Amino acid sequence: MQVYGKQLSFLESYRQDFLKVKPFETDMLVICPPWGGINISEYSYRDLDEIMDPKLTEILSHALKFSQNILLQMPKNTNILNLVKVTSKLNMSPFIGIEKIQTNGRDSQLFFYFG
């Protein structure tokens, strides 16, 4: 929230199938798409649209109907060049930051900030 200059008191949480949520205007959107499981190592070398279901382009395309300011949570081994390829297909602005999240001293995930 600090990256976008917002207070936490303005945070609303929705836990449902994101692609079924009717778009509404918001300052920022936090997206935690489904990833993980036995193919988690493939995120470092395979195309994200090939291994994610729903496809990352579908998720991000829908997200852009809500806001240009997007926080995308992805696995720690996400192929950043492939992510750039996916987002450039959607004419998204380049990410303004990447944050590595650690749990118990070990890398666990990456946060990509867009907008």
Side-chain angles (χ1 to χ4, degrees), residues 22-68:
K22 183 179 176 184
F24 56 87
E25 189 175 327
T26 185
D27 293 326
M28 177 188 165
L29 196 61
V30 178
I31 303 175
C32 307
W35 50 264
I38 59 172
N39 70 343
I40 193 76
S41 64
E42 296 179 9
Y43 280 75
S44 63
Y45 63 90
R46 288 199 48 208
D47 186 289
L48 296 171
D49 271 344
E50 290 178 10
I51 57 178
M52 293 183 72
D53 185 26
K55 294 180 182 216
L56 186 56
T57 52
E58 293 174 34
I59 295 168
L60 292 175
S61 179
H62 191 61
L64 290 169
K65 297 173 185 173
F66 295 80
S67 179
Q68 296 293 312

Side-chain angles (χ1 to χ4, degrees), residues 2-103:
Q2 289 175 335
V3 170
Y4 296 109
K6 302 294 177 186
Q7 297 176 5
L8 285 176
S9 60
F10 293 104
L11 184 64
E12 277 189 62
S13 178
Y14 295 84
R15 291 179 49 110
Q16 57 187 322
D17 183 341
F18 173 65
L19 295 177
K20 293 180 181 176
V21 176
K22 183 179 176 184
F24 56 87
E25 189 175 327
T26 185
D27 293 326
M28 177 188 165
L29 196 61
V30 178
I31 303 175
C32 307
W35 50 264
I38 59 172
N39 70 343
I40 193 76
S41 64
E42 296 179 9
Y43 280 75
S44 63
Y45 63 90
R46 288 199 48 208
D47 186 289
L48 296 171
D49 271 344
E50 290 178 10
I51 57 178
M52 293 183 72
D53 185 26
K55 294 180 182 216
L56 186 56
T57 52
E58 293 174 34
I59 295 168
L60 292 175
S61 179
H62 191 61
L64 290 169
K65 297 173 185 173
F66 295 80
S67 179
Q68 296 293 312
N69 298 325
I70 297 171
L71 168 59
L72 176 64
Q73 178 186 7
M74 293 294 288
K76 64 182 178 184
N77 60 327
T78 298
N79 182 323
I80 296 173
L81 291 176
N82 185 252
L83 180 60
V84 168
K85 177 182 162 190
V86 168
T87 57
S88 65
K89 282 193 275 187
L90 298 170
N91 294 320
M92 287 181 69
S93 60
F95 37 85
I96 58 174
I98 302 172
E99 190 171 10
K100 185 186 303 183
I101 306 301
Q102 293 188 331
T103 305

